[in-house]
């Protein structure tokens, strides 16, 4: 799991992407739905303090600062791969490896094959042992060894801003769009997105 903070203001929209602006006060949050997974831990990057962090799931707090990481551009997503390694991407676009014991982040190199697209999400599909990258409008397969992304297709949602994606054990791919505030299922072969329903809230500065 990845907690991430974003902050660039979008114009003429009711939703924004990028690192969230630093606020003087924060709203308290509570666990509404406790999942049956008491030993889970989530990892992420807190851009305000340039820190890698961990937190218990489902409680969500407290955050534990693990190490220092100042991303050259904001860290947009992270996934645990089939080899047990954690891979983190930034908008640079670049690929990093995250050490979940020390919290250290190591640059592996630049991501190629996406042109001017900015990577908003990375995920591993256990059904076919393949990594995928999502941008605002496109889906790519991704080789973490060569760091080359291959376009699979456009998601077909006009003016979309997809933020992250994930796979279940059966290989079904899900993502959400912060402009429509909707959840979608994504065809991993073509990139085509099918609307599932509303998130029920405004996903401003969406999280991983």
């Amino acid at each position: 799991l990845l907690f991430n903070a974003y902050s660039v203001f979008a114009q003429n929209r009711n939703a924004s992407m990028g690192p969230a602006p630093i606020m003087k006060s924060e709203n308290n949050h509570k666990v509404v739905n406790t999942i049956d997974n008491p030993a889970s831990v989530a990892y992420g990057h807190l851009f305000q303090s340039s820190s890698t962090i961990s937190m218990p799931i489902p409680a969500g707090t407290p955050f534990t600062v693990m190490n220092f990481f100042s991303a050259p551009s904001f860290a947009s997503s992270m996934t645990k791969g089939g080899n047990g390694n954690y891979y983190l991407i930034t908008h640079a676009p670049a690929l990093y490896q995250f050490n979940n014991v020390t919290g250290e982040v190591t640059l592996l190199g630049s991501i190629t094959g996406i042109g001017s697209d900015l990577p908003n999400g990375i995920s591993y599909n256990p059904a076919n042992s393949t990594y995928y990258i999502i941008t605002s409008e496109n889906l790519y397969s991704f080789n973490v060894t060569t760091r080359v992304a291959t376009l699979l297709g456009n998601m077909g949602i006009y003016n979309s801003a997809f933020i992250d994606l994930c796979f279940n054990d059966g290989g079904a791919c899900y993502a959400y769009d912060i402009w429509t505030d909707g959840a979608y299922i994504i065809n991993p072969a073509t990139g085509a997105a099918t609307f599932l329903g509303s998130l029920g809230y405004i996903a401003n500065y969406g999280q991983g």
Side-chain angles (χ1 to χ4, degrees):
L1 294 172
L2 171 68
F3 169 90
N4 223 308
Y6 291 81
S7 153
V8 170
F9 289 97
Q11 296 179 352
N12 302 319
R13 294 195 184 267
N14 64 356
S16 301
M17 60 188 300
I22 297 174
M23 308 298 287
K24 291 183 179 180
S25 63
E26 297 181 359
N27 293 328
N28 292 327
H29 65 279
K30 63 179 73 174
V31 177
V32 177
N33 206 5
T34 301
I35 58 175
D36 185 20
N37 197 1
S40 292
V41 177
Y43 302 102
H45 176 247
L46 188 63
F47 89 95
Q48 292 97 331
S49 60
S50 299
S51 310
T52 55
I53 58 175
S54 68
M55 71 212 74
I57 295 297
T61 56
F63 292 167
T64 300
V65 174
M66 300 179 70
N67 215 311
F68 175 82
F69 173 55
S70 181
S73 60
F74 74 88
S76 58
S77 185
M78 185 164 65
T79 191
K80 183 178 182 180
N83 55 8
N85 293 332
Y86 288 82
Y87 295 101
L88 180 150
I89 58 173
T90 66
H91 259 204
L95 179 69
Y96 295 76
Q97 188 169 324
F98 168 74
N99 185 317
N100 67 310
V101 176
T102 66
E104 291 181 300
V105 178
T106 303
L107 175 64
L108 298 178
S110 298
I111 296 171
T112 61
I114 64 173
S116 60
D117 256 354
L118 298 175
N120 291 333
I122 182 173
S123 189
Y124 175 76
N125 183 355
N128 64 5
S129 303
T130 302
Y131 294 86
Y132 293 82
I133 283 178
I134 200 170
T135 66
S136 289
E137 298 178 346
N138 297 310
L139 182 71
Y140 297 80
S141 61
F142 182 59
N143 186 315
V144 294
T145 302
T146 63
R147 302 182 306 282
V148 175
T150 302
L151 179 65
L152 297 172
N154 182 276
M155 283 168 282
I157 307 300
Y158 175 73
N159 216 19
S160 62
F162 282 91
I163 289 299
D164 210 356
L165 75 166
C166 64
F167 288 85
N168 66 16
D169 289 341
C173 179
Y174 301 94
Y176 71 102
D177 175 15
I178 63 170
W179 295 152
T180 62
D181 297 319
Y184 295 79
I185 187 166
I186 311 294
N187 185 325
T190 66
T194 301
F195 182 70
L196 292 175
S198 173
L199 295 175
Y201 66 96
I202 296 174
N204 220 12
Y205 300 106
Q207 307 298 303

